[in-house]
Amino acid sequence: MPEKTATTEEPSKMPAPGSGHLGQTFLVGDEVYIRAVETADSKFGVSWTKTIFPKSTEWYETWVKEKMVKEKRRANYIVLRKADDVPVGGIQTWRHDPLTNVESWMDPLYGERGQHWLAEALCLAIPWLVDEQHRPLVRLRVAANQDIAIERLNALGARQVTRFREAIKTWGGREDALVFEYLNRQWVERLGDPIDLTFERSGSGKPRPVPAPIDLTSDPPPNAVRVGPRVYLRPFERKDAPLAALWSRQEPDARWDSGRYMNSAAGYEAWNEGLQKDKPQKWVRFAACLRESDELIGMVGIEDIDYVHRTAETESVMHRADHRGGGYGTEAKHLLFDYAFNTLNLHALQSVVIFPNTRSAAALRKQGYKEAGRLHWHFPANGYFENFICFDLLASDWRALPRASMNGVHTEKEGAR
Amino acid sequence: MTEATITGEKTESPTPGTGHEGQTFLVGDEIYLRGIDVADAICAMSWRHSLYPYSVDLNKEWIKDDLAKDDDLWLVIVRKSDDRVVGSVQVEEDGVFFWISAETDRLFGEAALRWKGEAIALVATWIIDERGQTTAYTEIPADETPVIEKLEAAGMRRTVRFRELLERDGQRVDRLGYEYLNRAWMAVLGDPRERRLERTGTGEARPVPPPVTLEGDPPRNAMMVGKRVYLRPEEPDDSVKSALAARQETETFFDIGRHLNSPVMLDKWVSDHEKAELPSWITFTVCLRENDEPIGWVALLDVDYQNRFAETGSFFGSVEHRGSGYGSEAKQLLLEYAFERLGLHMVQSWVYFPNTRSAAALRKQGYSESGRVNWLYSHNGTLGNFVAFDLLAEEWRAMPRQDWTPA
């Protein structure tokens, strides 16, 4: 470990405390400055990493030298106090043009002082990324109780575009997550301000009753995890992969996010099994099958599961065009909600849909999701950047929805669970 | 879906419903138990005690690579009428103590709970009455009435109730512990339920120290800061100090006497746990604020993120710092971390009967007795018991906040 030896054995080479920012031409504020991560910062890992789990200095050293250096889209920065060069917080960026996502963290033990430093650091980093580095936009999330940061972000010209209800577990409670964006002015001049775009809503917008849980009068299908009136969920199997690959080639609808996907059977299998091998699974996927024939019709899943904040995002793909529009997708989705809220005990779910996909947005509203806002400029699409409309669903919302049998569709008696 | 459709092989399968014929033990009214076969992978979601979906192929690999090497005994629960696998039993043997965990597929409705109860009763009576072992123990959700009926009918006794330990369908559910003890051993050693737990102290909870407002900076890498102590991640140097402190231990009453620790093992322990993205053990080193000296550790053990509970543990290796309230101060910081930062709903703790001091400390910290677990380990020519405690987040939040100086 050459760095360690150099810093411990040759103290004369160490800069005097408080001189760390001298000569730095950008990202220097009144009280803090920002620089890239150095191995020696490992001693302060707890202060600058967005985690509430304790990790040793050795763990951080290994992470910096072996993991961080291999990151491609992600960059890590340290927020240091000017007065004595002590690391007090961190900023992580993830770039996938046009989007740069920013995550920030400030050691909570610095209390209100720390929140001022965090606000200052964000106001240094965001204009640097957008105005100097020409990125089209920066997006970031803050908790609704981070008043100081919110005030400074508004003053900077960032704006709140989404509020995910009760999505953040804070020290001592739960807060809404606010999503802010800061757009590049030149890109706004070129493309117009996306906030002026309206999205089309179709359908009544009202939630439909949840299919009532059923008491099976016969045995459940083999390996089923959840069973509804017409559909059941089971694990992904290797034999599903060739079907998914074939159906992707036969897709008639070209308006999926950025066009149709082309799945390879081998890739699809490896990817889905990879999700199952994760410990714990952070993306739980189920195959949705018809009860009458055991035929696979699609996949539903919850991704980005955060077991501390107890949130996740839902996804569903009905591979088979001939089974769309028959309510199978919604039925599978409610089985997924039952798993997410009643077994994994998640607190809230999110979902996003591109503006043109009014059908999926209408389906989400029918399932009980509420609009949470919008996320702009996510990926390029025919001369503009595509926008998302965002939804959220709280466990308590879903539990309060009325339950109703699907008359004429199934014959089993309903049971309250 | 059959085995043949997955492997393409044709297998001669016996007539459904004849699977238990000729089996001389572990056969009940509705179900029987047998060892696990690779072919059971096709319905693993019915019997693997898993929160997550796994494909048949991954389940086969798991059975061959992991289960086959597992020290625990695994048996599948099979329905007699058609030989369908509907659940499984896992038995963890720890010396004299056999911990039985059973699950059946809830999609079979009420029947699944009857089968589960029948399976636990079959296994417990087999281990104790036939194999002559001393203690079989299981824990089950308190709302599983059909299971409870089967256990009680088999002569199993309830010894502990952990309040609100589980969460399902948006409701908190208690978890009950049931024991089944060997009668011949009871004739030799006496009924452990008649052994009284010695209690010291008033048993009353003390106020929780109020949160500390830091005047200056927090100590480096601190995560929770109290008036006199703070919690930080474990560092490799700590294990050398822990190993030395263990050799200098003056008390002999800790569970099974003094321990000798290797710093290498302790380091491995720490680094294994911190590698996990979602750690099941969360350990903090407790340090004095005045000089940053480490004096012990506090930890959340076996954190269950689905049900939001954990076991708490602590140890203060530094003999000179015991009995001055440092331990309780550190424990209260751990509880604040557990309830307010991690969002746990409850914690539990276990103490050996002779360790009356730790039990008294838990009562002072707000814990309530939840019951006992008997005959876990050999001690003074008999088998020793544990007393169990629990503490709910809402109880801890309702405790008065007040500064107190230890006498």
Side-chain angles (χ1 to χ4, degrees), chain A residues 43 52 56 81 219 307 339, chain B residues 51-52 79 217 220 337:
Chain A
K43 280 169 58 185
I52 62 165
S56 67
R81 195 160 51 183
D219 283 350
Y307 290 91
Y339 172 80
Chain B
L51 191 55
Y52 303 111
R79 190 163 57 182
D217 283 350
R220 182 181 69 79
Y337 174 84

Side-chain angles (χ1 to χ4, degrees), chain B residues 57-200:
Chain B
D57 297 286
L58 286 186
N59 278 309
K60 282 187 176 177
E61 286 168 21
W62 174 67
I63 293 170
K64 283 191 274 193
D65 299 341
D66 300 331
L67 267 196
K69 292 178 202 147
D70 199 338
D71 286 338
D72 295 357
L73 171 69
W74 282 78
L75 301 168
V76 277
I77 304 172
V78 190
R79 190 163 57 182
K80 276 166 84 176
S81 60
D82 60 359
D83 300 316
R84 182 157 178 176
V85 176
V86 294
S88 71
V89 180
Q90 183 184 0
V91 185
E92 188 187 344
E93 180 185 339
D94 185 8
V96 296
F97 192 77
F98 287 72
W99 185 304
I100 303 169
S101 320
E103 285 306 332
T104 44
D105 187 342
R106 292 296 299 267
L107 290 176
F108 288 95
E110 279 278 298
L113 295 178
R114 284 201 313 273
W115 301 335
K116 176 177 169 179
E118 193 170 8
I120 295 172
L122 282 171
V123 171
T125 50
W126 167 61
I127 290 169
I128 301 306
D129 298 334
E130 177 170 334
R131 297 178 58 191
Q133 299 292 337
T134 61
T135 327
Y137 177 80
T138 192
E139 287 189 0
I140 54 164
D143 60 355
E144 294 187 348
T145 311
V147 180
I148 293 171
E149 283 166 4
K150 293 278 183 192
L151 301 191
E152 290 181 350
M156 297 185 74
R157 314 191 289 196
R158 182 187 302 179
T159 61
V160 63
R161 172 186 287 269
F162 292 108
R163 294 167 303 153
E164 302 182 19
L165 183 133
L166 301 169
E167 182 170 334
R168 64 157 71 134
D169 300 339
Q171 307 289 322
R172 299 301 302 191
V173 180
D174 296 350
R175 191 156 82 177
L176 309 176
Y178 276 83
E179 68 178 11
Y180 187 73
L181 305 180
N182 183 292
R183 284 196 195 87
W185 275 108
M186 241 187 302
V188 174
L189 301 175
D191 186 341
R193 286 207 300 189
E194 282 156 24
R195 188 168 327 147
R196 280 192 46 200
L197 172 71
E198 209 186 303
R199 291 182 178 82
T200 59

Side-chain angles (χ1 to χ4, degrees), chain B residues 303-314:
Chain B
V303 181
D304 180 329
Y305 293 88
Q306 178 203 5
N307 293 294
R308 288 185 294 130
F309 77 89
E311 184 185 333
T312 54
S314 63

Side-chain angles (χ1 to χ4, degrees), chain B residues 41-60:
Chain B
I42 63 162
C43 56
M45 296 316 294
S46 283
W47 60 264
R48 181 175 176 173
H49 304 178
S50 166
L51 191 55
Y52 303 111
Y54 293 100
S55 70
V56 169
D57 297 286
L58 286 186
N59 278 309
K60 282 187 176 177

